[in-house]
Amino acid sequence: MTQRARVTVNAAHDLGVLDRLWASLGYDEINWTYTPQGRRTLQTIGAFAETPYHVRPHNIFTSGTGLGLPHWGSGNVYHEDADGTPYYDFTIADLTYDAIVGAGHHPLVELGFTPLALVPDHAKTDFRYEGSPSLYSEYEAGWWSYPPKDYDRFAGLVAALVEHALERYGADEVQHWLWELWNEPDITYWRGTPEQYYDLYDVTTKAIRDVYPDAKVGGPAVTGGGDDFLRGFLQACADSDLPVDFVSFHTKGAHFTPWRTYGPIGAPAPVQQSPSTEKMLREIDTALTVVDEFPQYAGKPVIVDECDASVPAHWGIYDNANFAYRNTEYYPVFQAQLMKKILELNERHTAKVREATTWSFSMEGERYFEGTRSFVTASGIEKPLMNAYRAFAHLGDRRIDAVTTGAVDALASRTADKVAILVWRHTDDQYAAEPAAAPVDLAIEGLDPGRWTLQHFRIDRDHSNSHTVWQALGSPQDPTAEEFARITARQGLERFCDDTPIDVEQSFSLPLELPLPALSLVVLTKSR
């Protein structure tokens, strides 16, 4: 028999500001930002978000035609005329940032990668590449990752983008933007030395600040294994008194082995594997410890601007069946667990994570429930993951005490007239699902006496879950209009029961039953 769990919330015990860690997303495919589905996805999130999200696409400086492809894109800004004089084309940049800003969000501008005209000559001989009709050219395959051959021209490109952003959007908007050099320079995204990166950071931040002195600059956006690079970067910045307004690094919860399998469509995973919150938390803990070594930066906000359950984003269940969790209720519950545990990590460090970016957005041209790391699947159908972020949006600005016993966890908050509580069951094993519900006693103390309204929302197999509806319809890859309507009717955050008025003296108790995995959002609103 499943042990009875208990959650005790003290609405009068204020724990301070609840950081909106989740208010950030990113993706590789910059050119899908402004497709109809991309725009709708940004607008959907903007409509329920309680605060603007930072949005971080790759490839703003990468050369190309603007055709979006999985794990690739091009902002195509930099060009040189026949005399070698630089000029700039902001067509794609405008489409991208118009879509982000127009949906109520702010860009985190990742300044990368090397434009074709700035690829150093040695890259063209050093980089080994054999052409094939199914592969990119040498540039797409790797030339873009070499340090630019002319740092002054790269600085001019950066300055031009900042100046253009100020002219187009105004300082009232751009004051919220973040400017970050490159992505994961500790691995093959950067085929140069750490010292070359430090030098490029120097000229880049100067170029930004010369145009906009109030700009927020930072980096180095290293991987979960990039602690030595992170330490070297912070030391170089400290030695040269370079500006660092935020520190960034990444973490991933799994790299399935074998990463990709080739077999019959729908074949099971050769080895069952799952994402690990524990791995992610270890990597974040270690990186925060590095930042803490530098008192001048330990108080700066930390952004884990790729904070993901597994890599890569564009592979799915047909590559490896372990990616199935991205379609299911497991993923939103995983995200709730991760955000709560990052908040707990913050309590142990001077450096604090302020944003934990899900590298999830929207994939064009995929099959229904392909299993990519995305908020939506084909035809813009929202996956259960979206509902985690809808639930987060209900949380108030102040965190309050929540003590748990048994196999549940919780995160509680309040505003002047609302108490919102997330309660969930999670384990780092997507195959450990238990349809039998576990009993949970939720007790809320320290409430103001009077009339309150109780709302209860649920994410599980049977609620807030377009995927299970689609499965019940036979997993159609060309849904009829009626089937599509039935799927989308169930894609949002669903009430578990009708809203209920209750009279409270000082406390309130609510029995819950949570299958594994599942998340309940309980909201109490004070009547006026």
Side-chain angles (χ1 to χ4, degrees):
M1 182 176 179
T2 304
Q3 180 184 4
R4 195 169 196 89
R6 183 172 179 83
V7 178
T8 303
V9 174
N10 187 343
H13 188 180
D14 188 296
L15 299 180
V17 173
L18 177 57
D19 288 323
R20 325 309 282 184
L21 303 181
W22 48 84
S24 183
L25 66 93
Y27 43 95
D28 300 270
E29 302 84 4
I30 190 171
N31 307 106
W32 293 348
T33 306
Y34 47 86
T35 64
Q37 181 165 293
R39 287 178 180 275
R40 284 194 296 269
T41 302
L42 290 170
Q43 291 164 1
T44 295
I45 295 171
F48 67 67
E50 77 283 22
T51 188
Y53 279 41
H54 273 122
V55 180
R56 177 185 184 256
H58 282 342
N59 293 304
I60 186 61
F61 289 157
T62 308
S63 299
T65 65
L67 176 65
L69 297 169
H71 209 259
W72 183 251
S74 52
N76 200 45
V77 176
Y78 183 86
H79 305 275
E80 295 179 1
D81 65 18
D83 297 325
T85 303
Y87 68 98
Y88 311 107
D89 176 7
F90 295 109
T91 301
I92 293 173
D94 291 347
L95 289 168
T96 299
Y97 299 136
D98 285 359
I100 293 171
V101 173
H105 308 299
H106 305 306
L108 192 166
V109 184
E110 179 200 295
L111 298 165
F113 300 106
T114 296
L116 179 59
L118 293 181
V119 171
D121 291 338
H122 72 86
K124 300 174 183 180
T125 56
D126 293 349
F127 186 77
R128 298 183 63 184
Y129 174 85
E130 184 173 344
S132 165
S134 61
L135 296 176
Y136 299 139
S137 74
E138 295 91 338
Y139 176 72
E140 286 86 359
W143 285 358
W144 55 268
S145 59
Y146 284 84
K149 65 182 179 183
D150 189 321
Y151 279 21
D152 289 339
R153 293 197 174 197
F154 188 86
L157 167 60
V158 170
L161 180 63
V162 177
E163 184 175 12
H164 182 78
L166 286 168
E167 290 175 352
R168 189 171 184 86
Y169 305 104
D172 287 347
E173 167 60 30
V174 178
Q175 67 175 320
H176 301 291
W177 294 26
L178 303 176
W179 304 85
E180 176 185 64
L181 177 62
W182 224 258
N183 176 71
E184 298 183 348
D186 57 310
I187 60 172
T188 54
Y189 279 90
W190 177 259
R191 297 178 193 269
T193 66
E195 290 73 23
Q196 287 175 304
Y197 177 85
Y198 310 155
D199 291 343
L200 189 60
Y201 183 82
D202 186 2
V203 301
T204 297
T205 54
K206 284 184 171 66
I208 295 169
R209 290 286 183 83
D210 283 349
V211 175
Y212 184 40
D214 295 330
K216 300 178 180 68
V217 298
V222 294
T223 67
D227 302 314
D228 289 341
F229 195 107
L230 174 62
R231 183 179 287 106
F233 167 77
L234 293 176
Q235 187 64 61
C237 291
D239 291 344
S240 301
D241 195 26
L242 301 181
V244 179
D245 297 308
F246 63 91
V247 180
S248 59
F249 54 80
H250 300 165
T251 183
K252 308 292 181 180
H255 179 161
F256 298 140
T257 305
W259 198 356
R260 181 182 233 171
T261 60
Y262 292 87
I265 297 297
V271 179
Q272 290 186 349
Q273 299 169 82
S274 297
S276 170
T277 55
E278 292 185 3
K279 175 183 180 295
M280 299 175 74
L281 294 166
R282 282 196 306 270
E283 291 178 349
I284 294 171
D285 188 28
T286 301
L288 289 176
T289 300
V290 172
V291 182
D292 284 345
E293 295 173 11
F294 298 85
Q296 60 270 63
Y297 304 128
K300 300 294 184 181
V302 169
I303 302 178
V304 189
D305 54 11
E306 292 185 24
C307 188
D308 296 307
S310 67
V311 290
H314 62 296
W315 287 5
I317 58 174
Y318 304 103
D319 299 290
N320 187 317
N322 287 310
F323 290 120
Y325 77 89
R326 294 172 173 176
N327 289 329
T328 74
E329 64 276 11
Y330 181 87
Y331 200 8
V333 181
F334 181 99
Q335 290 298 94
Q337 176 82 358
L338 180 63
M339 297 300 158
K340 163 72 180 300
K341 295 303 181 183
I342 294 175
L343 289 170
E344 291 179 352
L345 270 185
N346 279 349
E347 297 169 5
R348 296 162 42 188
H349 291 276
T350 303
K352 312 289 186 189
V353 176
R354 301 304 184 188
E355 293 182 19
T357 304
T358 179
W359 203 249
S360 305
F361 183 49
S362 168
M363 294 281 175
E364 300 284 340
E366 67 176 21
R367 290 160 284 194
Y368 286 86
F369 295 97
E370 185 91 14
T372 56
R373 201 171 64 224
S374 54
F375 284 103
V376 299
T377 186
S379 300
I381 293 173
E382 297 167 13
K383 299 199 287 190
L385 174 64
M386 185 79 84
N387 291 318
Y389 290 79
R390 284 194 171 96
F392 295 154
H394 281 271
L395 293 172
D397 297 330
R398 308 294 296 185
R399 187 176 172 190
I400 55 178
D401 193 34
V403 178
T404 64
T405 62
V408 297
D409 210 336
L411 180 62
S413 70
R414 77 168 302 164
T415 60
D417 60 354
K418 185 174 79 169
V419 173
I421 307 155
L422 298 179
V423 183
W424 61 87
R425 282 185 71 197
H426 169 79
T427 182
D428 275 356
D429 181 358
Q430 65 174 313
Y431 298 100
E434 297 177 4
V440 181
D441 293 323
L442 171 61
I444 309 169
E445 303 170 349
L447 294 169
D448 300 328
R451 173 62 64 92
W452 295 71
T453 299
L454 168 69
Q455 295 175 296
H456 183 185
F457 303 86
R458 171 65 63 82
I459 304 172
D460 61 19
R461 179 171 178 79
D462 300 318
H463 300 85
S464 311
N465 199 325
S466 58
H467 180 244
T468 49
V469 177
W470 175 76
Q471 286 181 315
L473 292 170
S475 304
Q477 286 297 338
D478 185 16
T480 66
E482 180 184 356
E483 289 171 334
F484 186 82
R486 290 175 65 181
I487 296 167
T488 55
R490 302 291 306 281
Q491 68 183 0
L493 185 61
E494 293 186 311
R495 281 172 166 78
F496 189 68
C497 60
D498 293 338
D499 296 356
T500 306
I502 55 173
D503 292 313
V504 174
E505 293 187 4
Q506 285 187 319
S507 62
F508 173 73
S509 296
L510 179 69
L512 303 175
E513 292 188 341
L514 288 175
L516 177 69
L519 178 147
S520 272
L521 166 66
V522 176
V523 180
L524 289 170
T525 305
K526 186 74 158 49
S527 299
R528 296 182 178 180

